[in-house]
Amino acid sequence: GLLSAGIDVIDIGLAPTPLTGFAIKLYGADAGVTITASHNPPEYNGIKVWQANGMAYTPEMENRLEAILESGNFKKAPWNEIGTLRKADPREEYIRKALEMVHLDGSYTVVIDSGNGAGSILSPYLQREMGNRVISLNSHPSGFFVRELEPNAKSLSALAKTVKAMKADVGIAHDGDADRIGVVDDEGNFIEYEVMLSLIAGYMLRKFGNGKIVTTVDAGFALDDYVRPLGGEVLRTRVGDVAVADELARHGGVFGGEPSGTWIMPQWNLTPDGIFAGALVLEMIDKLGPLSELAEEVPRYVTLRAKIPCPNEKKAKAMEIIAHEALRSFDYERLIDIDGVRIENSDWWILFRPSGTEPIMRITLEAHTEEKAKALMEKAEGLVRSAVERA
């Protein structure tokens, strides 16, 4: 399709998403394309397009591209002007550049679980080149996934057992295209996303100096409380890696991440990169100590999540009602309405947000005590159910 429109194509073959983003800049390309379902099962495969700077296409750019495709109003090249095709493998260059940025004084035992995804062809090799002893788990890209692709405590139970059995220093896991990272500590415990996000944001501040940390509206207070003493200022934006990358570029931030294991290191690239993130986790352990001890330093609050069924056609009206009722019935101090409605007080916050992929409304909230969190959730669920009925 691209060749027929006169576009020159560099085919990097089977590749994790971070390698696509890296290759765009390495080869001076105008754009990149990844075919992936990311952290979802393979039946959700789609096309993700990347800009020349490694940032994903914005929703506005995607809409323009889809409109051109649907209209059929694009030019096909004559036979003598079709694009050229060449194959390339940027893996060696990726590893070489990564080793220029990440340095270890010691050597560690690392278990890598790539979930049979595309990260298998790069993540274990980078860790080995860093001087670590690597134990691979689910690291052959078979196309048949033996675990749920999203890295979480349940899907990484085998990784946790392996880390413990092999007395490893850390376990690193990826989703299908390796733009995400999940981490198991030296005691075999899955480190909650919020805790890991806080730790790596703090480490980036130590490594690169004071600055802005960009996260999304569904991230909790632990991040703010952890990075503030380290000279970090937290900015919140819409959910999605493109929104985080956009804010990072706009404000010259030090680090950006979502509480889903999606991290963006602007000093490296504006593409979410679970593989480079794994290298940074090892550097953090090397410089600061065992992960199990570091995780104890991050404050923990009570987080609850709920999904309320809501037909897609009712979402807009339901959100109008939710916004009106929430602002009227909760005693809040601050409102963020860039993506859904987030209301905050000094010791709790609630986010009401329609899902972008499923017919549901999401409620995410955090409080300092379980009692307070449960009371807030009961009230929030009742409000959303009522709004969906009335929409």
Side-chain angles (χ1 to χ4, degrees):
L2 290 165
L3 294 170
S4 72
I7 305 296
D8 296 331
V9 176
I10 302 167
D11 179 7
I12 62 170
L14 175 69
T17 284
L19 193 58
T20 306
F22 177 82
I24 294 167
K25 295 172 84 172
L26 178 66
Y27 301 129
D30 298 297
V33 174
T34 309
I35 298 171
T36 179
S38 191
H39 56 283
N40 296 308
E43 60 266 29
Y44 292 100
N45 263 331
I47 296 171
K48 188 154 185 174
V49 190
W50 305 89
Q51 301 177 52
N53 64 356
M55 189 191 302
Y57 266 30
T58 64
E60 295 75 27
M61 294 169 81
E62 288 178 340
N63 290 338
R64 287 210 305 275
L65 184 59
E66 287 176 13
I68 293 167
L69 290 170
E70 286 165 10
S71 71
N73 187 25
F74 52 87
K75 212 165 70 176
K76 288 198 173 176
W79 68 271
N80 59 338
E81 292 178 18
I82 65 167
T84 60
L85 173 67
R86 71 179 172 100
K87 292 190 179 292
D89 186 348
R91 282 180 289 178
E92 276 190 27
E93 197 63 23
Y94 179 102
I95 290 171
R96 189 182 72 77
K97 291 274 190 189
L99 294 178
E100 288 176 4
M101 287 193 68
V102 180
H103 307 280
L104 303 185
D105 295 322
S107 177
Y108 302 89
T109 299
V110 186
V111 185
I112 301 279
D113 180 353
S114 301
N116 305 108
S120 306
I121 70 165
L122 187 56
S123 194
Y125 300 95
L126 173 59
Q127 290 290 342
R128 187 176 66 188
E129 291 301 317
M130 288 170 66
N132 295 319
R133 177 191 177 216
V134 178
I135 299 162
S136 290
L137 202 63
N138 306 322
S139 284
H140 49 288
S142 61
F144 297 95
F145 307 110
V146 299
R147 65 161 170 84
E148 181 192 329
L149 284 173
E150 188 169 357
N152 54 44
K154 184 184 168 192
S155 67
L156 301 184
S157 58
L159 175 62
K161 286 174 186 170
T162 307
V163 168
K164 215 167 179 183
M166 302 304 292
K167 295 184 169 54
D169 297 291
V170 67
I172 303 287
H174 305 298
D175 61 336
D177 67 333
D179 65 347
R180 293 187 178 194
I181 183 173
V183 183
V184 170
D185 72 13
D186 46 295
E187 294 180 354
N189 301 310
F190 176 76
I191 307 254
E192 303 97 313
Y193 279 133
E194 295 266 2
V195 174
M196 207 62 229
L197 180 66
S198 301
L199 284 176
I200 203 68
Y203 182 66
M204 292 296 277
L205 289 166
R206 288 180 171 101
K207 187 175 169 74
F208 293 104
N210 294 1
K212 293 179 170 64
I213 303 292
V214 178
T215 191
T216 48
V217 290
D218 56 342
F221 284 148
L223 177 62
D224 305 66
D225 294 347
Y226 185 75
V227 303
R228 202 177 292 116
L230 298 169
E233 178 194 350
V234 177
L235 305 177
R236 283 180 170 77
T237 186
R238 299 189 317 276
V239 172
D241 63 84
V242 66
V244 173
D246 201 26
E247 287 293 297
L248 273 174
R250 183 179 291 122
H251 295 284
V254 175
F255 170 78
E258 298 184 78
S260 59
T262 307
W263 301 350
I264 298 174
M265 290 64 65
Q267 306 82 355
W268 172 249
N269 206 347
L270 289 173
T271 310
D273 193 332
I275 294 168
F276 187 75
L280 275 176
V281 168
L282 265 295
E283 189 182 61
M284 178 173 71
I285 291 168
D286 185 66
K287 302 295 184 280
L288 301 182
L291 206 48
S292 56
E293 293 176 16
L294 296 178
E296 292 298 315
E297 298 169 10
V298 179
R300 283 166 169 79
Y301 306 126
V302 181
T303 305
L304 298 180
R305 293 179 175 85
K307 300 176 183 178
I308 310 293
C310 177
N312 289 331
E313 64 274 12
K314 282 190 163 194
K315 283 178 179 174
K317 183 64 180 171
M319 275 307 300
E320 276 182 38
I321 298 168
I322 288 167
H324 181 259
E325 294 294 325
L327 303 189
R328 203 180 64 179
S329 54
F330 285 93
D331 183 20
Y332 67 97
E333 293 172 357
R334 187 166 177 240
L335 165 71
I336 304 175
D337 59 0
I338 50 176
D339 188 3
V341 172
R342 173 171 164 142
I343 49 176
E344 296 181 355
N345 217 317
S346 56
D347 61 349
W348 60 262
W349 59 268
I350 308 173
L351 173 66
F352 302 93
R353 184 174 168 271
S355 168
T357 54
E358 300 172 75
I360 57 172
M361 301 295 293
R362 297 184 188 277
I363 306 169
T364 309
L365 63 81
E366 183 180 79
H368 282 196
T369 67
E370 195 166 341
E371 185 184 6
K372 181 68 174 176
K374 284 179 175 174
L376 287 167
M377 180 57 84
E378 188 178 340
K379 189 173 178 180
E381 280 188 324
L383 189 153
V384 172
R385 289 185 200 281
S386 169
V388 171
E389 281 175 21
R390 289 155 56 194

